[in-house]
Amino acid sequence: IEVTLYLRPGEDEHFRLANPQAIIRPIPFRSEVGRLMWHHAVPWLLQHRHDAFLFPANFVPMLLPRSSVLVVHDLNFLTNKQSFGRLNLLYRHLMQRQSILRSSGVVSISGATADEVKQFSGCESEVIHYSVRLRTQEPVAFERNLLCASSLSHHKNIAAAHEACLRHLEDDPNLSLTFIGNWLL
């Protein structure tokens, strides 16, 4: 399978490490408005070059390519409105259900998300859990390491994740906790 990744400027280095065989093409916009415009128009123009598109971030373009799979991370904007700005919340309300309904296939990252998708849209989705592969320069034993991949966004509920990790520490005080992700607010 030949994979082409369309990425914002500055993201290519990380994705090259994860998938060195992928073809990397830049999205020529750094701003959110430019990225959204690109997202909603360009894949339709590029569809003759690709057999299918995978949209990994909750929304498919308004001009939908012929074969598109959507990955839904969560529908937290429905219950956690205070964590989103007005325009972001409006965009999510306008786009999310239509994105799910118009996709050729929908993937949810957890059973809970699949239940949310079903309740919200009436559509079934395939559950595919994220996998994490840690690459290190030298062999490292990770048998006693608990990894929490997230960010400091309000809707991520880091406090609950931290509390759950502390419960694991009560059972095993030698456990090592690692939080990774976007920690910039």
Side-chain angles (χ1 to χ4, degrees), residues 9-162:
E11 294 180 336
D12 58 327
E13 179 183 332
H14 304 289
F15 284 92
R16 278 190 211 287
L17 288 172
N19 189 345
Q21 291 81 31
I23 299 165
I24 297 192
R25 302 273 187 252
I27 295 173
F29 299 102
R30 287 191 181 271
S31 73
E32 284 301 308
V33 172
R35 183 189 64 78
L36 287 173
M37 289 171 46
W38 189 97
H39 175 82
H40 285 292
V42 176
W44 182 79
L45 296 171
L46 296 175
Q47 66 182 328
H48 68 281
R49 296 184 194 174
H50 305 286
D51 296 319
F53 283 80
L54 172 66
F55 296 98
N58 280 14
F59 305 106
V60 296
M62 287 187 278
L63 299 173
L64 186 67
R66 64 181 176 270
S67 297
S68 300
V69 175
L70 173 67
V71 178
V72 179
H73 298 259
D74 56 53
L75 298 178
N76 59 27
F77 71 96
L78 296 171
T79 58
N80 198 7
K81 293 176 174 66
Q82 69 277 9
S83 295
F84 297 90
R86 287 183 188 167
L87 287 177
N88 191 335
L89 198 56
L90 176 63
Y91 178 79
R92 289 171 183 276
H93 276 285
L94 291 173
M95 294 298 300
Q96 188 68 74
R97 183 177 282 113
Q98 289 305 312
S99 290
I100 293 168
L101 295 173
R102 291 170 43 238
S103 295
S104 305
V106 179
V107 173
S108 293
I109 66 165
S110 70
T113 300
D115 293 342
E116 288 178 343
V117 166
K118 176 71 173 166
Q119 184 176 352
F120 179 68
S121 69
C123 292
E124 298 289 338
S125 61
E126 181 75 22
V127 176
I128 301 177
H129 299 279
Y130 282 148
S131 62
V132 176
R133 179 175 27 182
L134 298 175
R135 295 184 182 162
T136 60
Q137 298 299 331
E138 297 179 21
V140 177
F142 286 107
E143 294 89 23
R144 308 190 68 73
N145 192 354
L146 181 60
L147 178 67
C148 181
S150 190
S151 73
L152 282 182
S153 299
H154 297 289
H155 66 275
K156 297 297 184 182
N157 202 354
I158 292 297
H162 186 251

